Amino acid sequence: MHFVVSLLNSFFDLQSIPPVWVQSAAVAIWVLLMLILAWVVNRAASKDPEVIRKIVHIGTGNVILLAWWLDIPPIVGITASIVASVVTLLSYQFPILPGINSVGRKSFGTFFYAVSIGVLIAWFWTLQKPHYAVLGILVMTWGDGLAALVGQKIGQNKYNVFGRQKSWEGSLTMAVVSFIISSSILVSVQGNLWQTWLISLTVALVATGLEVVSFLGIDNLTVPIGSAALAYVLSQLMANG
């Protein structure tokens, strides 16, 4: 993230540019770098669309950390979300993002992903609690992203939910990664309390459940929003209890 700002600073005098422009440019460059990385991998190493999609999924999702670190105004994140949502909708009809939406099944996951980022920024930036938005997005970014790759590559123990095949290896990965993400963020903000660990465990289990029962890529909406909302509500209840 610091690299992105340093890159901008090497070409421009950031002190003379309105901060919101710098923040917007940093976010845009980060996303562009992730798309370039996916294109390079697609050309040089792998033709597996699921791998390409998860590279973009994990890479672009981390932009929420950049947004948190730069304290971007909500309007920047919301606008970026709207633009990304429109582009992804168009990409289902036109080859705007080849390889990203081609996962061998009907899915609106990329669209829901863009929408969830905008919703969480609008919600938690306004409340001055951006860490909940970060938690929700990163649970989806790393939890679902790694779960899909683990399940696809080494998942041997299968089970079916609503006609969709899942693996216990993938679901376990989702739970463990979600717990690590949630606890890392909440401990850094709330401190090393037993309530923090309990909330993190609850979020991890619920996020895994939401991912398991998803269809048409809707987990890219339910997992981040559900995780962030649950962490927020439980934290408020335990703080006032």
Side-chain angles (χ1 to χ4, degrees):
M1 294 179 291
H2 180 70
F3 165 75
V4 175
V5 178
S6 298
L7 181 64
L8 287 172
N9 200 30
S10 65
F11 288 99
F12 306 101
D13 179 9
L14 298 185
Q15 301 301 320
S16 64
I17 302 175
V20 68
W21 290 13
V22 177
Q23 295 163 337
S24 301
V27 170
I29 288 176
W30 178 270
V31 174
L32 180 60
L33 287 174
M34 294 305 101
L35 291 174
I36 291 174
L37 173 62
W39 179 83
V40 170
V41 171
N42 183 49
R43 298 284 294 183
S46 174
K47 296 297 181 181
D48 186 341
E50 183 71 9
V51 172
I52 303 303
R53 191 173 73 94
K54 289 308 177 182
I55 289 175
V56 176
H57 176 99
I58 293 174
T60 56
N62 286 297
V63 75
I64 196 69
L65 285 171
L66 184 62
W68 188 20
W69 180 57
L70 293 177
D71 192 24
I72 68 167
I75 188 62
V76 173
I78 295 169
T79 300
S81 171
I82 293 172
V83 171
S85 299
V86 171
V87 170
T88 52
L89 280 179
L90 291 174
S91 74
Y92 292 115
Q93 298 297 324
F94 306 100
I96 300 174
L97 301 173
I100 295 177
N101 292 319
S102 303
V103 294
R105 63 181 185 274
K106 186 174 179 60
S107 173
F108 295 97
T110 309
F111 169 70
F112 291 137
Y113 197 26
V115 170
S116 66
I117 291 176
V119 169
L120 289 177
I121 287 178
W123 184 0
F124 290 107
W125 253 248
T126 303
L127 293 177
Q128 302 297 310
K129 296 182 182 295
H131 54 281
Y132 291 112
V134 176
L135 183 153
I137 295 301
L138 291 187
V139 163
M140 187 64 210
T141 295
W142 288 99
D144 178 76
L146 293 178
L149 293 176
V150 168
Q152 183 185 42
K153 299 301 181 182
I154 64 173
Q156 300 297 320
N157 300 288
K158 308 291 186 180
Y159 65 97
N160 290 291
V161 178
F162 300 135
R164 297 183 67 248
Q165 190 175 75
K166 297 284 186 177
S167 75
W168 287 108
E169 291 86 351
S171 295
L172 179 60
T173 299
M174 176 72 184
V176 171
V177 173
S178 297
F179 177 75
I180 292 172
I181 293 292
S182 300
S183 58
S184 297
I185 292 174
L186 293 179
V187 166
S188 70
V189 175
Q190 300 175 357
N192 185 13
L193 306 172
W194 69 265
Q195 293 94 331
T196 298
W197 297 103
L198 179 59
I199 292 171
S200 299
L201 179 59
T202 304
V203 168
L205 294 176
V206 170
T208 302
L210 290 172
E211 194 278 331
V212 166
V213 301
S214 69
F215 58 94
L216 300 180
I218 200 171
D219 55 324
N220 280 5
L221 188 66
T222 59
V223 169
I225 293 178
S227 298
L230 182 60
Y232 173 68
V233 171
L234 291 179
S235 295
Q236 294 300 109
L237 289 175
M238 290 191 173
N240 297 326

